[in-house]
Amino acid sequence: MWSIQFGEGANDPCLFSTNNFHGRQTWKFDPNAGTPEERAEVEAARENYYQNRFKIQPSSDRLWRFQMLREKNFRQEIPPVRIGEGAEITFDQATAAYRRAATFWNALQSPHGHWPAENSGPNFYIPPMVMSLHLTGYLNVVFSAEHKKEILRYTYNHQNEDGGWGLHISGPSMMFTTCLNYCMMRILGEGPEGDRDNACARARKWILDRGGALYSASWGKTWMAMLGVYDWEGSNPMPPEFWTFSTLIPFHPSKMWCFCRLTYLPMSYFYATKFVGPITSLVEQLREEIYCEPYSEIKWSKVRHHCAKASLCFGDFEDNYSPRGKVQRFMWDTLYHVAEPILALWPFKKIRDNAVQFTIDQMQYEDENSHYITIGCVQKPLMMLACWAEDPSGEAFKKHLARLDDYIWLGEDGMKMQSCGSQTWDCSFGIQALLAGNLLNEFGPVLKKAHDFLKISQVRINPSDDYRAHFRHISKGSWTFSDRDNGWQVSDCTAEALRCCCLFAMMSPDHVGEPMEAECMYDAVNVIMSLQSPNGGVSAWEPTGAPKWLEWLNPVEFCEDLVIEYDYIECSSSSIQALVLFRKLFPGYRRKEIRNFITRAADYIEITQYADGSWYGCWGICFLYGTWFAIKGLEAAGRTYNNCEGIRKGINFLLKTQREDGGWGEHYTSCPNKKYTAQDSTNLVQTAFGLMGLIHGRQAERYPTPIHRAARVLMNGQLDDGDFPQQELMGVFMRNGMLHYGAYRNVFPLWALGEYRTYSAAVASPKGFQP
C-alpha cells in the first residue's frame, strides 16, 4: 500500500537541503501496510475513477487524503447546510458551512504545515522520465513493479476514447502525446496489443490513421530521436552555439523565458551530440509500429516541418496550435542546409565542441543551484539524461536520481509527474482562506504551523557566484512555487506568501507565532519590485525586456507566448496586495518607490482589461480567474466601483456571466481561444471566483441578491464531510496547457464562504438573507 511521506532524505548521501527537506513530499510503497478495509477503500476509489474517467478527468486526490484523514481520526461533526429555493441564508448557516469546510481542510494539513496536493495534468510529463531512465539503464532500479503498475494505470485512465492522448487530460488527442505514451507503454513491458482495453493497439491505430509519428510536434521528435525511433536528420536544428554569442544579441537564449531557455539548453546539447540510446529489439519493433512506411525508406530531411493539423476526417486533433511562419522556416532551413554542414567540418567543429561544453557547464550550474530538482518536470529528465551521457557513474547523475521522488505523485487514477509541486502556492492560498472567515481563535494551531512553513520556506540566498553570467535573477527573499530547495523565485508566490506573513505580523503571536523578521520581509519586497516592467505590469520569474518579435521564432508548436517573459494580471494583483499590507507595517521602507509601484501596477491592470469587462487569466481558467484577481488588485490600490470604470466593467462581466442557478462555469477552451466560453454546468471553484469578485467590487452596496445566490450554490454543493466535489481542470500555462490543482476545490470555496460570512456579519439583518 502506498503512503505519502514528509521530509524524507536526511540519510541519503546524494541529497542536500537548505532547510532540512521542509516541504518535501514523497511516496513510498509498503506491501504489508494497510488493513483489508483500507486497501478495499483505495481499490474502490480506483475503480470508481476508471468508470467515470470520461466524465471528470482530474483525480480527486483520494489516496493521500484517505491517509491524512485516517491519521487525524477526522470525523465531521457539523451537520450539512442545505439552502432551499427561495429560502433565506442566516448568519448561523453561513458560519456552519464555512466552519465545516475549514475543519475538513485543517485535517488535511501536513506535519510540515503545508497542504499536499496534486499539480499535474499534461500527458507529456511522465513519458520523458520513463524514457530517460530506460536510456540510462536505471528504469528497473528506480521504478519498482508497483511504480510501473501505477504509471500504466494513469496511462490507461487518461487515454481518450479514440485511442489517443491529449496535450492534457481533458484535451483532444494529439500526435505528440500519443506517440510518447505509446512508446512509454511499450518500454514498461506492454505488448503491441496493450493490456487494459487494448490500449496499445488502439493508440497505434490512432497514430497510423493520421500519418504516423512523422507528424509529432518537435518535442516528441526530440525524445523519439534520443530513444532511437526517429532520426535526428528529421529534426530542425537546435544549435548550442547560440549560447556562446554575446548577450547583446537580441536572440541570445538569455532573453528567453526561463522554462523555455532551460528546456532548449539540454535539447541543444543532445542535438549537437546526436545522442541516441542503444538500438535494442524493442527499438526495432517501435520503428515498425509507429510509421506508415518502412523506417529505412523515410526521407528524414523532408519531414522536418511535418506537424499534425486538425483534420475534417478525424476531428479535433492538432499538434500545431502555434504554426511556424515563413521567417522561422527560412531560419531553420538555413541552419540545416548551411550552418550544420559547416560546423561538422574541421576546424569549425571546434566551435561546436566549445559550445557543447558551454551547455554542460550551464546545466551543472542549474543543477547545483536547484539541488538537482531543476526548474520543472520538463527539464528534469533532460538534465538528468545529459548528466548520465557525460558521466554514467558520476555524482551529478546520482544526485539527479535522488531527486526524482520530488516529482512523483500518486492518485486514484495512477502515478504521474508533478509540474514541480505547489506547496508554497497552495499554503498561501489556504492560509488566506482560513483567515477570511474571522475564526482565528478556532484555527490558531493550524495557522501557526502554516506560518512556520512559510517562514522556513523563504529563499535566503541568491544563486551562487556570478549569477548574471548564468542568466539568473536575484532570488534572496523570494518564495518558490514548491519548496525552498527548488530555488526559483516567482513573483506571485513571493507576494502571496509575503501577504500572509504581513497578516500574521498584525496578529497576536500567541495565536499565529512570532512574526517574520523585518529584514526577510525587506528582501521579499526587493524581489517583487525588481520584477515590475516599464509598463507597470509584473512578470513572474525574471524581468521582461526581450523583443516581442522573438515569438516569431517560437519552436514549440503546441503552446504560445513561451519564448520570452511577460507581465501578468495575477502577478501584478498579488504584488499590489502584498505591498499595500507591507506598507502598513513598514511605512518608511522604499516609501515613494512602493507608492509608485502600486499606482503603475494598478494602471497596468486597467489598461489590459478586455472590452467585455473581463481580464484574461494566464495561470487559471480563465476570464473568471483573471477578473477576480484584477478586481482584488484594483481594490487594494484604493480603486472602487465608484471611482474606477475598470471595476464597474468587471462587475458587469461577472453579473452577465452568472448562471441561472447562481453559479459560474467557464470552459477551458477560453484559454486557447482567448474568448470567454461558458460550459454547460456550474463549477464550484469558478463560482467562488465570481462570488469573491462581486464581494470585492462591493456589489452588496447596490444589489446583493447575486452574492447570496452564489453563496447558496457553494453551500448546497458541499459534501457531507465538508469536502467539495472534484470538477473540471482549473489551471493553465502558455494558453494551451491545462493543469490540475488538486487543492483548488477546497481552498477557493472555503475562501469564498469565509468572505461571505465576514461580509454577512457586517450587513445581515436578524432574519438573514433572501437569495
Side-chain angles (χ1 to χ4, degrees):
M1 188 170 174
W2 290 92
S3 63
I4 191 170
Q5 313 284 314
F6 300 101
E8 297 291 313
N11 297 322
D12 189 332
C14 292
L15 288 171
F16 172 74
S17 174
T18 59
N19 64 352
N20 197 28
F21 302 100
H22 212 74
R24 189 175 193 234
Q25 46 198 26
T26 56
W27 287 87
K28 180 181 180 181
F29 181 77
D30 181 351
N32 300 315
T35 65
E37 292 77 15
E38 291 166 356
R39 294 187 181 194
E41 183 180 43
V42 169
E43 290 305 319
R46 287 169 171 163
E47 185 59 24
N48 181 69
Y49 179 86
Y50 181 78
Q51 295 301 329
N52 293 281
R53 67 194 185 281
F54 297 127
K55 299 176 182 177
I56 297 294
Q57 291 82 25
S59 81
S60 297
D61 242 0
R62 295 288 187 200
L63 272 60
W64 74 268
R65 289 170 178 243
F66 286 158
Q67 177 185 335
M68 299 293 285
L69 295 175
R70 185 169 61 246
E71 291 175 355
K72 301 283 183 67
N73 196 27
F74 173 76
R75 296 289 185 275
Q76 182 60 263
E77 298 178 353
I78 304 171
V81 178
R82 300 289 181 257
I83 308 298
E85 184 72 26
E88 295 180 340
I89 302 174
T90 68
F91 175 67
D92 287 345
Q93 288 174 320
T95 300
Y98 174 71
R99 186 178 277 124
R100 294 178 75 249
T103 54
F104 182 86
W105 179 243
N106 292 346
L108 296 176
Q109 188 179 37
S110 78
H112 286 191
H114 73 291
W115 283 266
E118 178 179 340
N119 178 245
S120 187
N123 283 320
F124 61 90
Y125 278 5
I126 189 70
M129 184 60 73
V130 171
M131 290 181 180
S132 181
L133 290 172
H134 170 75
L135 289 167
T136 63
Y138 276 77
L139 180 63
N140 295 327
V141 176
V142 175
F143 285 161
S144 67
E146 291 297 326
H147 284 85
K148 296 176 184 178
K149 176 182 176 182
E150 293 303 324
I151 293 171
L152 287 170
R153 186 194 307 277
Y154 183 80
T155 310
Y156 301 145
N157 277 331
H158 294 293
Q159 186 175 28
N160 289 334
E161 291 181 273
D162 63 8
W165 284 265
L167 183 64
H168 52 83
I169 58 177
S170 294
S173 299
M174 287 177 58
M175 188 64 72
F176 162 47
T177 42
T178 301
C179 287
L180 288 188
N181 279 276
Y182 180 82
C183 290
M184 180 184 69
M185 287 194 297
R186 298 286 279 115
I187 289 170
L188 291 173
E190 294 290 70
E193 301 309 310
D195 191 356
R196 194 164 192 175
D197 295 332
N198 298 316
C200 281
R202 292 166 56 229
R204 186 171 63 257
K205 184 179 186 305
W206 191 96
I207 293 169
L208 297 177
D209 283 349
R210 290 156 180 82
L214 298 175
Y215 290 89
S216 168
S218 57
W219 284 11
K221 292 178 178 179
T222 296
W223 274 106
M224 288 190 290
M226 291 189 284
L227 185 60
V229 299
Y230 190 90
D231 197 291
W232 281 111
E233 291 300 308
S235 293
N236 280 312
M238 294 176 279
E241 287 76 18
F242 282 111
W243 291 92
T244 63
F245 292 168
S246 169
T247 56
L248 297 177
I249 296 176
F251 51 81
H252 188 275
S254 64
K255 307 294 195 296
M256 298 170 74
W257 177 49
C258 53
F259 278 84
C260 187
R261 181 173 76 239
L262 295 176
T263 299
Y264 282 95
L265 175 67
M267 281 188 176
S268 67
Y269 164 85
F270 288 119
Y271 178 83
T273 59
K274 299 298 187 290
F275 174 91
V276 180
I279 307 303
T280 63
S281 60
L282 175 59
V283 170
E284 296 282 4
Q285 292 170 36
L286 285 170
R287 287 178 172 183
E288 295 179 2
E289 293 168 8
I290 61 176
Y291 296 103
C292 297
E293 56 192 294
Y295 187 83
S296 60
E297 297 179 12
I298 297 173
K299 302 297 189 291
W300 294 103
S301 63
K302 305 295 185 182
V303 302
R304 291 181 296 111
H305 298 307
H306 282 21
C307 189
K309 297 181 180 180
S311 166
L312 294 176
C313 297
F314 295 108
D316 186 18
F317 86 98
E318 185 171 9
D319 289 40
N320 207 14
Y321 170 71
S322 181
R324 293 167 173 168
K326 293 180 180 179
V327 173
Q328 188 178 156
R329 283 175 174 253
F330 175 77
M331 183 190 73
W332 293 136
D333 290 343
T334 302
L335 290 170
Y336 186 88
H337 293 294
V338 179
E340 287 299 315
I342 292 175
L343 289 167
L345 301 173
W346 185 90
F348 302 104
K349 189 177 183 302
K350 191 158 186 67
I351 297 175
R352 169 133 298 180
D353 292 341
N354 291 337
V356 168
Q357 185 58 50
F358 189 91
T359 64
I360 293 169
D361 295 341
Q362 285 292 118
M363 286 188 284
Q364 181 181 355
Y365 181 87
E366 292 296 335
D367 286 342
E368 291 175 353
N369 278 276
S370 67
H371 302 88
Y372 292 85
I373 298 172
T374 75
I375 194 173
C377 69
V378 172
Q379 297 74 24
K380 172 67 176 177
L382 289 165
M383 298 278 203
M384 183 177 73
L385 183 58
C387 283
W388 178 85
E390 282 299 301
D391 186 357
S393 59
E395 288 299 310
F397 176 62
K398 294 176 184 177
K399 291 177 180 179
H400 260 296
L401 288 176
R403 281 294 190 176
L404 277 181
D405 283 343
D406 293 65
Y407 284 97
I408 297 299
W409 194 257
L410 193 68
E412 68 272 21
D413 59 340
M415 183 170 285
K416 66 216 65 174
M417 288 276 288
Q418 297 265 62
S419 294
C420 64
S422 53
Q423 295 94 308
T424 296
W425 183 246
D426 291 336
C427 183
S428 297
F429 279 165
I431 288 169
Q432 292 176 73
L434 290 174
L435 292 175
N438 283 335
L439 293 178
L440 177 62
N441 292 337
E442 296 184 25
F443 306 150
V446 172
L447 292 169
K448 183 178 184 302
K449 284 176 62 178
H451 189 193
D452 289 343
F453 172 79
L454 290 185
K455 288 187 288 185
I456 201 172
S457 297
Q458 187 185 31
V459 177
R460 301 304 172 91
I461 59 173
N462 287 320
S464 62
D465 304 326
D466 184 3
Y467 56 85
R468 289 186 176 86
H470 294 278
F471 324 124
R472 289 292 297 270
H473 188 60
I474 61 171
S475 58
K476 182 182 179 182
S478 69
W479 276 268
T480 74
F481 189 59
S482 53
D483 57 21
R484 187 202 284 188
D485 286 342
N486 172 270
W488 269 91
Q489 72 285 341
V490 192
S491 65
D492 52 356
C493 296
T494 301
E496 296 293 344
L498 175 62
R499 185 170 190 269
C500 291
C501 290
C502 288
L503 289 168
F504 285 136
M506 299 172 180
M507 300 174 186
S508 169
D510 294 339
H511 288 298
V512 298
E514 294 298 321
M516 171 172 269
E517 298 90 339
E519 287 297 326
C520 293
M521 290 194 183
Y522 296 164
D523 290 339
V525 169
N526 294 340
V527 171
I528 293 170
M529 297 188 69
S530 74
L531 293 171
Q532 187 172 43
S533 302
N535 65 1
V538 180
S539 57
W541 286 269
E542 296 172 326
T544 61
K548 172 69 174 175
W549 59 260
L550 283 176
E551 290 292 351
W552 298 348
L553 308 179
N554 177 15
V556 183
E557 304 92 334
F558 54 84
C559 282
E560 187 179 7
D561 292 342
L562 53 61
V563 174
I564 63 175
E565 178 69 279
Y566 288 90
D567 305 305
Y568 299 102
I569 295 297
E570 299 96 311
C571 299
S572 303
S573 172
S574 295
S575 298
I576 291 172
Q577 295 174 62
L579 291 178
V580 166
L581 279 177
F582 172 83
R583 187 170 57 178
K584 292 179 180 179
L585 290 170
F586 305 100
Y589 186 77
R590 301 182 68 174
R591 180 178 179 179
K592 184 177 179 180
E593 295 170 88
I594 289 177
R595 183 180 69 242
N596 291 339
F597 181 107
I598 292 170
T599 300
R600 291 171 59 231
D603 289 344
Y604 167 81
I605 292 175
E606 285 205 60
I607 64 174
T608 52
Q609 188 174 29
Y610 275 45
D612 66 356
S614 67
W615 281 269
Y616 184 91
C618 291
W619 305 108
I621 300 172
C622 171
F623 291 97
L624 293 172
Y625 183 79
T627 300
W628 168 65
F629 261 105
I631 291 174
K632 282 195 68 179
L634 292 173
E635 178 199 37
R639 305 185 188 189
T640 67
Y641 185 92
N642 293 328
N643 66 23
C644 177
E645 184 182 4
I647 290 182
R648 291 195 294 272
K649 291 171 64 179
I651 294 301
N652 288 338
F653 166 77
L654 293 177
L655 294 174
K656 181 175 61 178
T657 54
Q658 189 172 25
R659 292 170 56 81
E660 186 176 349
D661 65 0
W664 281 265
E666 182 178 5
H667 199 265
Y668 79 81
T669 52
S670 289
C671 301
N673 295 337
K674 302 174 190 174
K675 181 180 180 181
Y676 178 80
T677 305
Q679 65 180 26
D680 58 5
S681 60
T682 291
N683 182 283
L684 297 179
V685 173
Q686 291 170 337
T687 297
F689 296 152
L691 171 56
M692 291 190 287
L694 293 181
I695 288 174
H696 287 278
R698 302 185 186 180
Q699 176 64 26
E701 297 175 3
R702 298 176 296 278
Y703 179 59
T705 297
I707 291 176
H708 305 320
R709 293 174 62 231
R712 180 173 63 191
V713 170
L714 293 181
M715 293 179 189
N716 289 342
Q718 192 176 35
L719 302 177
D720 288 347
D721 60 0
D723 195 2
F724 291 89
Q726 180 60 57
Q727 295 175 294
E728 297 83 7
L729 293 169
M730 285 292 105
V732 65
F733 63 95
M734 301 302 104
R735 310 288 187 260
N736 201 31
M738 306 304 141
L739 284 168
H740 174 33
Y741 285 82
Y744 278 16
R745 81 168 194 261
N746 295 101
V747 168
F748 288 110
L750 169 65
W751 196 340
L753 288 172
E755 291 195 349
Y756 180 72
R757 177 189 184 272
T758 301
Y759 146 79
S760 66
V763 302
S765 65
K767 294 183 179 180
F769 304 114
Q770 181 66 45

